Amino acid sequence: MVRATIKAEPHPLAIDLDRAALIIIDMQRDFLEPGGFGAALGNDVTLLAAAIGPCKAVLDAARARGMLVIHTREGHRPDLSDAPPLKVERGDPAMRIGARGPMGRILIRGEAGHDIIAALYPIDGEPVIDKPGKGAFYQTDLELMLRNRGIETLFVCGVTTEICVNTTVREANDRGFRCIVLSDCCASYFPQFHEIGLAMIKAQGGILGWVSDAASAAAAIYTATAKSGRAA
Ligand code: C5J
């Protein structure tokens, strides 16, 4: 057991770092780069770029410690058999899920746009969860992976704050996992939704989890690793 105290809201939190994992939600080209799903829905994708540097800082700390790092990708099978028609039928037909765009078919597994951005690309040994929904637990083997590794706490990063991050945190909370959402490692196309999304998590004594930031999480991870004398 390696105890670490994380500066967080609504209050600092002591956790066992040996039972913590980092999950990075949907940092995919389709959400962060022009020509993808986010842009097809009319969003300004540059608003998500602010999360990349902080995510990388925490990712480096987690990798240095040998912490479990899990990446997720939202997307669908090429035949769309796992995509609810309700989800596909939104927006301009030329720019819907499955339509062909500059980075291949939008939000389809195996296409360039579906992949994770270069700055945060998974390395060997880091599981990538392909999820058909907003929540990372829905129709995936994420819970099984976490239980098999004895994980209790998740550091949560990714996009978008109010959609896939928030949904995943709610799913995790109901399953008994403690979530620490790193505010600057998350982003939204709507800055006000980002703020509200974080506020909803930490309200009422942390009804869904805790909110911290990249510097606090990385510092706690590096400090504990130095003290315990263990790095991967
Ligand atoms: C959205 C996501 N916003 N990853 N997906 O459609 O948040």
Side-chain angles (χ1 to χ4, degrees):
M1 172 187 269
V2 176
R3 298 294 277 183
T5 300
I6 314 293
K7 201 176 125 207
E9 291 181 284
H11 56 76
L13 184 67
I15 63 163
D16 179 358
L17 270 186
D18 282 344
R19 293 183 175 273
L22 171 64
I23 182 162
I24 303 182
I25 310 278
D26 301 357
M27 290 297 276
Q28 295 163 252
R29 299 184 66 196
D30 259 331
F31 293 110
L32 284 114
E33 295 183 10
F37 184 56
L41 294 177
N43 298 302
D44 174 3
V45 295
T46 63
L47 287 164
L48 304 192
I52 299 172
C55 275
K56 183 65 167 65
V58 178
L59 181 58
D60 287 345
R63 282 175 176 166
R65 176 160 180 78
M67 185 183 281
L68 175 64
V69 175
I70 295 177
H71 305 260
T72 74
R73 296 186 296 203
E74 181 179 350
H76 297 280
R77 294 170 181 261
D79 64 4
L80 295 179
S81 55
D82 61 348
L86 194 72
K87 184 176 181 186
V88 177
E89 286 161 9
R90 279 180 205 148
D92 177 350
M95 304 180 90
R96 285 178 181 169
I97 294 170
R100 204 160 288 284
M103 293 191 288
R105 292 181 66 206
I106 292 173
L107 231 55
I108 298 297
R109 294 178 190 160
E111 301 287 345
H114 177 261
D115 213 350
I116 291 169
I117 59 167
L120 301 174
Y121 211 76
I123 59 173
D124 278 354
E126 294 177 351
V128 178
I129 303 272
D130 279 322
K131 62 186 185 65
K134 306 303 185 197
F137 289 86
Y138 176 66
Q139 301 288 345
T140 73
D141 51 9
L142 174 60
E143 182 171 358
L144 184 61
M145 277 185 199
L146 298 177
R147 302 253 184 244
N148 285 343
R149 295 280 293 258
I151 298 299
E152 298 170 346
T153 302
L154 297 173
F155 288 101
V156 186
C157 300
V159 297
T160 60
T161 316
E162 78 281 12
I163 306 289
C164 290
V165 171
N166 228 278
T167 305
T168 299
V169 167
R170 286 162 191 264
E171 290 181 330
N173 184 65
D174 280 347
R175 287 165 173 79
F177 297 102
R178 185 186 293 116
C179 288
I180 306 174
V181 180
L182 304 181
S183 56
D184 49 348
C185 300
C186 300
S188 170
Y189 302 118
F190 304 91
Q192 70 274 32
F193 290 176
H194 172 75
E195 293 306 327
I196 293 289
L198 297 173
M200 283 162 50
I201 288 163
K202 67 184 177 186
Q204 303 179 77
I207 195 154
L208 294 172
W210 285 258
V211 175
S212 184
D213 54 58
S216 301
I221 294 168
Y222 282 126
T223 303
T225 304
K227 275 191 196 155
S228 71
R230 183 181 79 81

